[in-house]
Amino acid sequence: MTTAHILGFPRIGAQRELKAALEAHWQGGLDAAGLHELARSLRARHWQQQRDAGLDFVTVGDFAFYDQLHNVSALIGAAPARFGFGGPLGLPEYFAMARGTPAQPALAMKKWFDTNYHYLVPEVDAGTRFALNRDWLLPEVREALALGHKVKVALPGPLTWLWLASAEAGFDKLRLLSLLLNVYWALLAELKALGVEWVQLDEPILALDLPAAWIAAVTTAYRELAGAGPALLLATYFGDVGEHAALLKALPIAGLHLDLVRAPQQLPAFIADWPADKRLSLGIVDGRNPWRTDLAAALATLHAAQAALGERLWVAPSCSLLHVPHDLSFERRLDPRIRSWMAFAVQKLDELALLKRALRDGEAAVWRELHAAAAAIEDRRRAPTTQVAAVRARVAALGPDDARRRSPFAQRIAAQRAVLQLPKLPTTTIGSFPQTAEIRAARAAFKAGRLGEAEYIAAMQAEIRHAVERQEALGLDVLVHGEPERNDMVEYFGEQLAGYAFTQNGWVQSYGSRCVKPPLIYGDVWRPKPMTVEWSRYAQSLTDKPMKGMLSGPLTMLFWSFVRDDLPKREVALQLALALRDEVVDLEAASIKLIQIDEPTIREGLPLKKADWPAYLDWAVQAFRITAGGVRDETQIHTHMCYSEFNDILPAIAALDADVITIETSRARMKLLDAFAEFRYPNDIGPGLYDIHSPRVPAAGEMRTLLDKALAVVPAERLWVNPDCGLKTRAWPETEAALRQMVATARAARAALG
Ligand code: GLN
Ligand code: ZN
């Protein structure tokens, strides 16, 4: 009989109960016992949901107070020495590492592969030692067993933990492998003693480009761990591991999990001669995305697999359900038609159970459910909103000219300089000004219908006036309207574009207690009417200085949304690009002379394997260029990027052909700029002169040092002066103080240049 299981479940709670409890705990309003109690009740509920759905195991080990990789660090006693902890790691130490202490910065956070989830980066060095800490994981296993569940334990595997750890350059982390395996071995032995039959070790790094030594280490590691006791299920996901098929088949593991949503093409490499003593878990329900599974298509694959594998077939979501929202039944305001196309984590449990029953009892036994699922898929396919002929025709008609400005940069910049008449080293900001409590209150009141439209517009105009007055007083050269009307970079635009929908409760964990509620791109995207033009026009009417228009780019709109799964991402990006291009053209027509298209996320879309980068960068660059391509030479296109690390994609950044790029550089003391200089980045650059992430106002001279560094590698004619990023999270006093310094720094440098 086919086994149905999941790799992991969202831990935050259907109503974000864990978020509330964590934040209460950190503020001193909930003690550790209360926090543990809440965690126990969430785990119990989530296990019961898995059991009620009819899964063969409940998955234990996916719960975390902050992050699953950090849980392993606690479990194996791997705290960096810099924290100076004496004894075993308890909850206070766990949170101290996650959030920092007065004396020590927190562990770094990084994106978990190509998701929007962030893990805490372990730190290792030659002195790192491990010891099993029985206060972690094991109590949860006993808890599940005591509730009478059949338990499969799941946790990140040793190679993935070690690969993701940071170490000093030159230190070979594999030197720690045998010590690490000892502690995993001890853990597995304890789990066996508790009666746990299966342990799932997640090794998503197998989908990356791994050095040969690490590939060899896979065999070493799993040979070693095989003897420890429980049957091991090695879980891969987020990509194709077909290149390792021979190695994986030869490992002394009891089962392997494959992500067939991301990489269906890898199945043949495994199924043909799959070893008789091993299970093969097929991830066929999308764990990354909230759409309903095409069960008929899934069953076609599974029936074929069942013929080859028989009882050895397991069915599962592609990866942990951590990345999808919790429960669709809370969505009472979502258009019922769109809702009928969707499945959140709880609904995906039912899909798995249904697939299992269809495989066991035949499709006739579940025809009613299969019919309903097929009808929803068909309805989605035929809905007028998912197939808008005019949008499709416009994308199909795109040609090379649409992705090209009229003239090359040299000609454009000359025309722009003639129009704008800016001084050398022009000063500007990245777009947002402080989002004060009053601004947020006005927006919320308007949304709730407590504030009329005219009053709301008046309130926002007053904020814009205020921001313009302050910028004029500070002496900035290129002004912005300050973005008071925007809650964030994606929702604001998504709400005004066709093809977008919004959930009430579709939260997914980003890190710790932080959750995001991505909008849904469910249909063809187009722009019914201008989105930002009136605000920019109003702002420009208040000043003789040039006003920069401001919008989010197509890639940012794509990567911070849940994207439909019935159209290639490239196609969705081109639809977004055309919708945003209309906005850019309208801003120009409203006499806005500079337009910034924010793309902080271009790196986020990078495929896990380098071989796939060029194809992605090709359409990503195309989408940006289409957005920017409709304006005259005189109109200056800016773009902005943060989160650094562009060194390896500089050719693509240059290919965007923005007239001006502003980038985050101050924290790394202009290191990124060296890469731009070495690459000979051809257009104008504004390296951020100060960090906006803290209220600290840089000391006099600090900005000048950074500006001089920039002047040493970029010709003065092509250099802009600006902060690292938008100022929305700051308060006015520090904002004004820092900008005053920044303007003075630019003026002094100008004078020195003569
Ligand atoms: N224009 C946006 C702002 O200033 C840019 C934000 C970002 O890059 N993340 O807030
Ligand atoms: Zn930024």
Side-chain angles (χ1 to χ4, degrees):
M1 204 176 67
T2 303
T3 297
H5 73 125
I6 59 170
L7 273 55
F9 198 72
R11 55 182 79 111
I12 208 84
Q15 299 296 332
R16 287 182 296 156
E17 295 90 330
L18 183 59
K19 174 190 178 66
L22 282 169
E23 289 171 2
H25 178 66
W26 295 333
Q27 280 150 26
L30 180 69
D31 62 10
L35 184 61
H36 277 296
E37 186 48 44
L38 182 273
R40 245 190 316 273
S41 73
L42 283 177
R43 288 191 293 263
R45 195 197 301 162
H46 299 160
W47 292 331
Q48 194 60 42
Q49 282 175 312
Q50 293 167 50
R51 183 160 163 176
D52 290 346
L55 301 194
D56 292 281
F57 297 106
V58 302
T59 296
V60 178
D62 52 358
F63 180 83
F65 281 114
Y66 209 97
D67 160 46
Q68 68 256 8
L69 203 72
H70 193 44
N71 272 30
V72 174
S73 306
L75 174 69
I76 64 177
R82 66 183 175 91
F83 285 96
F85 299 138
L89 305 174
L91 206 51
E93 291 79 18
Y94 177 93
F95 286 139
M97 289 191 278
R99 309 179 69 227
T101 67
Q104 282 299 327
L107 297 182
M109 244 175 3
K110 275 202 178 148
K111 273 177 181 279
W112 179 245
F113 299 85
D114 56 359
T115 73
N116 275 329
Y117 175 82
H118 300 74
Y119 68 89
L120 287 168
V121 181
E123 294 171 17
V124 297
D125 57 37
T128 299
R129 292 296 172 270
F130 308 104
L132 183 63
N133 182 337
R134 292 173 177 77
D135 296 338
W136 294 89
L137 184 60
L138 296 165
E140 292 174 23
V141 175
R142 283 193 293 268
E143 213 174 280
L145 292 168
L147 290 168
H149 295 306
K150 190 166 172 210
V151 168
K152 179 197 66 185
V153 172
L155 71 158
L159 292 160
T160 290
W161 185 87
L162 195 57
W163 175 265
L164 296 178
S166 72
E168 251 173 38
F171 176 66
D172 177 13
K173 292 185 284 182
L174 285 174
R175 281 172 47 195
L176 296 173
L177 183 63
S178 72
L179 293 176
L180 184 59
L181 292 176
N182 286 345
V183 67
Y184 266 82
W185 207 98
L187 170 71
L188 292 172
E190 297 250 355
L191 291 171
K192 175 79 182 174
L194 285 174
V196 172
E197 194 188 338
W198 279 93
V199 176
Q200 164 195 323
L201 292 174
D202 288 13
E203 298 285 14
I205 61 163
L206 284 163
L208 305 176
D209 297 309
L210 285 182
W214 284 78
I215 295 168
V218 175
T219 303
T220 318
Y222 284 87
R223 270 203 194 132
E224 173 109 16
L225 296 180
L232 297 182
L233 174 72
L234 190 153
T236 70
Y237 40 84
F238 301 151
D240 189 338
V241 298
E243 59 179 308
H244 305 306
L247 179 150
L248 292 168
K249 283 179 211 169
L251 289 183
I253 49 175
L256 177 72
H257 173 85
L258 300 174
D259 181 342
L260 291 193
V261 173
R262 209 33 119 52
Q265 70 280 6
Q266 63 182 330
L267 184 56
F270 290 91
I271 206 158
D273 52 352
W274 187 246
D277 61 337
K278 292 184 182 24
R279 317 297 190 283
L280 191 60
S281 165
L282 301 185
I284 197 116
V285 165
D286 198 341
R288 290 285 293 270
N289 151 347
W291 306 104
R292 203 163 171 160
T293 305
D294 184 342
L295 293 175
L299 275 172
T301 304
L302 292 175
H303 277 309
Q306 192 182 34
L309 298 169
E311 303 272 294
R312 292 171 295 158
L313 172 65
W314 287 20
V315 292
S318 56
C319 59
S320 169
L321 297 173
L322 176 67
H323 309 290
V324 292
H326 202 106
D327 187 351
L328 189 60
S329 61
F330 292 104
E331 298 302 327
R332 301 207 183 81
R333 271 191 240 145
L334 191 61
D335 175 345
R337 185 164 189 188
I338 298 172
R339 195 176 55 208
S340 75
W341 305 338
M342 310 194 69
F344 290 179
V346 168
Q347 287 69 40
K348 285 174 192 275
L349 298 180
D350 293 334
E351 290 186 332
L352 284 170
L354 195 71
L355 289 170
K356 177 187 157 109
R357 276 166 56 208
L359 290 171
R360 185 188 60 196
D361 305 334
E363 294 188 15
V366 289
W367 71 270
R368 216 181 281 276
E369 291 90 338
L370 290 179
H371 180 76
I377 299 279
E378 185 58 17
D379 177 57
R380 180 177 168 205
R381 211 168 56 76
R382 288 166 177 260
T385 49
T386 60
Q387 292 267 11
V388 180
V391 174
R392 298 293 168 108
R394 213 175 154 201
V395 170
L398 279 170
D401 280 347
D402 297 303
R404 210 179 283 139
R405 297 287 299 274
R406 290 168 206 180
S407 311
F409 173 72
Q411 243 164 289
R412 296 193 314 258
I413 197 75
Q416 292 159 16
R417 284 188 185 136
V419 172
L420 294 170
Q421 295 291 329
L422 295 171
K424 252 185 211 162
L425 309 177
T427 54
T428 190
T429 60
I430 307 303
S432 56
F433 271 105
Q435 292 247 331
T436 58
E438 298 81 69
I439 293 180
R440 272 180 268 129
R443 265 203 327 256
F446 176 54
K447 256 202 153 155
R450 284 179 275 116
L451 190 68
E453 185 168 3
E455 289 86 352
Y456 170 72
I457 291 175
M460 292 300 116
Q461 287 185 340
E463 293 297 339
I464 292 171
R465 216 156 44 235
H466 177 246
V468 170
E469 278 163 12
R470 298 216 178 177
Q471 292 173 81
E472 287 204 311
L474 286 162
L476 286 154
D477 301 309
V478 170
L479 310 196
V480 296
H481 79 285
E483 307 180 18
E485 77 288 5
R486 301 187 190 172
N487 40 354
D488 81 344
M489 293 184 68
V490 175
E491 193 166 308
Y492 177 76
F493 292 94
E495 281 173 343
Q496 303 186 72
L497 290 170
Y500 265 90
F502 295 84
T503 63
Q504 266 172 285
N505 202 45
W507 297 100
V508 288
Q509 189 180 15
S510 173
Y511 60 86
S513 68
R514 257 294 273 277
C515 299
V516 294
K517 191 156 68 66
L520 311 165
I521 302 178
Y522 71 91
D524 282 354
V525 176
W526 53 283
R527 187 196 67 148
K529 60 181 199 314
M531 304 184 281
T532 66
V533 175
E534 282 317 310
W535 301 121
S536 287
R537 196 202 306 270
Y538 176 74
Q540 182 68 84
S541 77
L542 302 172
T543 177
D544 295 329
K545 295 267 179 82
M547 179 62 55
K548 185 163 59 163
M550 198 61 61
L551 66 163
S552 299
L555 304 170
T556 302
M557 295 297 294
L558 188 73
F559 296 129
W560 290 355
S561 304
F562 278 123
V563 186
R564 60 192 298 184
D565 60 354
D566 56 350
L567 208 59
K569 283 217 162 65
R570 170 181 179 277
E571 209 68 15
V572 181
L574 296 179
Q575 292 184 2
L576 281 161
L578 284 168
L580 295 166
R581 176 187 173 104
D582 292 346
E583 187 71 12
V584 172
V585 168
D586 282 350
L587 282 166
E588 177 184 67
S591 303
I592 300 299
K593 298 187 179 67
L594 309 89
I595 301 165
Q596 178 173 312
I597 303 166
D598 287 323
E599 283 293 27
T601 65
I602 187 161
R603 258 204 92 83
E604 285 181 28
L606 276 179
L608 295 175
K609 286 207 171 79
K610 265 227 158 98
D612 300 325
W613 284 20
Y616 158 70
L617 287 170
D618 198 57
W619 64 253
V621 168
Q622 190 195 5
F624 182 90
R625 291 175 60 122
I626 288 168
T627 308
V631 291
R632 294 189 303 267
D633 288 353
E634 291 78 2
T635 299
Q636 186 165 74
I637 296 289
H638 287 225
T639 188
H640 166 69
M641 290 173 192
C642 19
Y643 317 129
S644 315
E645 281 194 53
F646 299 118
N647 300 21
D648 44 2
I649 56 166
L650 279 172
I653 305 279
L656 298 178
D657 199 26
D659 298 307
V660 183
I661 183 169
T662 55
I663 47 172
E664 178 181 334
T665 36
S666 78
R667 277 189 291 186
R669 307 212 38 92
M670 298 279 156
K671 240 171 50 206
L672 176 63
L673 196 64
D674 289 341
F676 272 78
E678 197 173 312
F679 173 75
R680 297 180 183 279
Y681 181 79
N683 302 3
D684 283 16
I685 311 185
L689 277 203
Y690 76 91
D691 179 18
I692 55 85
H693 296 88
S694 97
R696 178 176 170 277
V697 178
E702 260 179 57
M703 289 198 210
R704 183 59 191 265
T705 309
L706 291 183
L707 183 55
D708 284 342
K709 276 193 172 184
L711 277 164
V713 291
V714 178
E717 305 73 59
R718 292 207 277 111
L719 201 57
W720 285 66
V721 170
N722 46 264
D724 261 349
C725 193
L727 300 162
K728 59 175 165 257
T729 56
R730 296 273 59 83
W732 272 107
E734 74 250 22
T735 298
E736 286 193 284
L739 290 177
R740 200 169 295 123
Q741 293 254 25
M742 190 187 87
V743 171
T745 304
R747 285 186 179 154
R750 257 174 227 160
L753 288 169

